[in-house]
Amino acid sequence: MDAREAGERIERELLILTRNRETSTPRGVRDGGALDRSAYVLLSRLEAQGPMSIPDFVEAFGFNASTFTRQTSALLREGLVERTLDPDGGVARKFRVTDKGSARLAEQREEFVDGLTGVIADWPAERLQRFVADLERFNTDIERISGRSWPRPMAGEH
């Protein structure tokens, strides 16, 4: 198999993976309900990186500022984030996850991890290690090419 054929097969499998995740998760940020995908991603990024401004989000994700203005406004209304002064002394206000946001994110992450664990529960340890290593390599290669990385825990942390 050459890189082109592999790319076509990976594209199809990523499409199916995204569809499976979307159809198994309730949509929409509601009081106590499931976080929508964009809320989950933004809260996860804030959790991993710490407080971020709209320009920080634009730099991290490469989308238009208006996208993040809409998304952060929804998170503010739900009490999942709050505006705070820049801890580094900058003039821009930054967003940070509230206790409520952390709790909702942790709850939903636990549901996702439980679901994934059910899928891979009977995989042998070496297959799990290989799959995780390959997935990490795939993502870090994309990040290297795009110039946009995702903060990861240090070695030994999860």
Side-chain angles (χ1 to χ4, degrees):
M1 165 180 336
D2 65 10
R4 178 69 186 187
E5 181 183 350
E8 290 169 352
R9 291 177 68 179
I10 291 167
E11 181 275 334
R12 181 178 52 249
E13 295 306 321
L14 289 174
L15 170 73
I16 294 167
L17 178 65
T18 303
R19 181 193 175 280
N20 286 336
R21 181 173 184 261
E22 292 298 319
T23 59
S24 65
T25 304
R27 296 184 57 89
V29 178
R30 293 180 189 85
D31 190 25
L35 299 169
D36 70 18
R37 186 171 40 115
S38 64
Y40 187 85
V41 170
L42 290 184
L43 290 172
S44 294
R45 183 61 183 244
L46 287 169
E47 178 187 70
Q49 185 169 331
M52 295 176 72
S53 65
I54 296 293
D56 293 335
F57 285 123
V58 169
E59 183 179 328
F61 293 98
F63 298 126
N64 188 300
S66 65
T67 299
F68 298 107
T69 300
R70 276 191 313 276
Q71 292 173 346
T72 55
S73 293
L75 294 173
L76 281 165
R77 278 191 307 276
E78 296 295 324
L80 303 177
V81 298
E82 63 186 4
R83 283 192 182 103
T84 185
L85 295 174
D86 184 345
D88 298 324
V91 294
R93 292 286 202 162
K94 296 207 172 193
F95 297 92
R96 75 168 201 83
V97 181
T98 62
D99 290 343
K100 179 181 178 181
S102 290
R104 291 268 301 279
L105 181 61
E107 181 181 335
Q108 185 147 345
R109 181 174 288 132
E110 188 64 26
E111 290 176 19
F112 286 149
V113 171
D114 286 349
L116 291 169
T117 301
V119 172
I120 59 175
D122 64 344
W123 291 18
E126 54 279 349
R127 183 175 183 194
L128 290 169
Q129 290 171 338
R130 186 176 60 244
F131 182 74
V132 169
D134 287 345
L135 191 55
E136 287 173 347
R137 169 75 189 268
F138 183 74
N139 279 326
T140 57
D141 283 353
I142 290 171
E143 292 167 359
R144 178 181 44 78
I145 291 166
S146 72
R148 292 188 177 92
S149 62
W150 188 276
R152 288 181 171 74
M154 301 298 286
E157 297 177 354
H158 296 283

